[in-house]
Amino acid sequence: MRVIAGLHRGRRLLGPRGQAIRPTSDRVKEALFSILGERTTGARVLDLYAGTGSIGIEALSRGATHVTFVETDREALRLVRSNLQQCNLEQFANICACQVSQFFRRGTEWSGPYDIVFCDPPYRLTPELLTLAGEWHVGWLAEDAVVVIEHSSKEHMPETLGPLSQVKRYDYGDTALTRFHLTPKEAPRA
């Protein structure tokens, strides 16, 4: 596992020992940041089910100003902390050691509003994430926020998730990325 582009390009990241954590492949990671384009520069990012932290670290390497990592697995939390230290990026990150459902309930403790939200739940938890996202408060998202969910290519994503509308789905073998934006009427007023 490595950082693909930006300030920390080529930096190796620590990966999991065993099968409990499924890191996003470099191919899918490259596709994700191609989809996001220049949005990453200056963005506040939320990395739900952060795993090793490679997506959030890639975002920081590409110019994001802050990333909030949410993860509950102890081994994954160790990897996120180690990878942030290895890249000297701790000052640009918050790590929330809790379940995503607990994080959603905290609301006001967030470092948002977020410009980019990336969700890579263990595939068995995708239905839980879809339920949670349906209850998402629009104030947690920036006006032009992008939410991307990584999931099994066999999984169907709904057209809407609460205040979010599906924009496009991208398939990469067994993995798919589905992009959502705020429905125009749901976007916060400036």
Side-chain angles (χ1 to χ4, degrees):
M1 243 180 13
R2 64 188 172 87
V3 178
I4 297 169
L7 185 61
H8 298 283
R9 180 181 182 178
R11 176 86 46 122
R12 292 226 172 264
L13 300 175
L14 299 174
R17 298 177 234 160
Q19 303 295 325
I21 303 168
R22 176 191 40 80
T24 299
S25 72
D26 282 354
R27 176 178 172 224
V28 173
K29 188 168 26 172
E30 279 192 70
L32 168 66
F33 284 95
S34 177
I35 291 164
L36 295 173
E38 296 298 316
R39 285 180 185 270
T40 307
T41 304
R44 295 186 73 73
V45 178
L46 176 59
D47 188 354
L48 298 174
Y49 308 95
T52 64
S54 73
I55 294 295
I57 290 169
E58 185 75 33
L60 289 169
S61 181
R62 292 174 184 245
T65 59
H66 186 272
V67 176
T68 298
F69 297 89
V70 179
E71 181 57 65
T72 189
D73 182 86
R74 285 185 184 165
E75 171 67 5
L77 288 165
R78 184 190 67 75
L79 290 169
V80 171
R81 286 185 185 100
S82 295
N83 285 329
L84 283 168
Q85 288 171 350
Q86 186 171 307
C87 296
N88 197 25
L89 293 170
E90 307 95 325
Q91 68 273 26
F92 304 107
N94 285 344
I95 300 173
C96 296
C98 66
Q99 293 180 348
V100 170
S101 59
Q102 293 169 316
F103 184 77
F104 270 59
R105 283 190 292 260
R106 287 182 176 171
T108 58
E109 296 178 32
W110 290 30
S111 299
Y114 295 103
D115 303 294
I116 298 169
V117 179
F118 180 71
C119 313
D120 182 14
Y123 289 167
R124 64 181 165 66
L125 293 181
T126 301
E128 173 188 294
L129 172 67
L130 298 179
T131 300
L132 289 171
E135 299 168 8
W136 204 316
H137 186 276
V138 294
W140 299 338
L141 299 171
E143 184 175 342
D144 59 347
V146 175
V147 176
V148 179
I149 299 175
E150 180 176 334
H151 55 93
S152 166
S153 58
K154 296 174 185 169
E155 185 90 32
H156 170 76
M157 287 287 126
E159 291 298 314
T160 60
L161 288 176
L164 304 169
S165 296
Q166 187 180 136
V167 175
K168 191 167 182 181
R169 175 183 163 129
Y170 310 83
D171 286 283
Y172 306 97
D174 293 343
T175 301
L177 298 174
T178 300
R179 183 178 63 173
F180 292 86
H181 291 190
L182 278 174
T183 304
K185 68 180 173 73
E186 299 290 351
R189 306 280 182 246

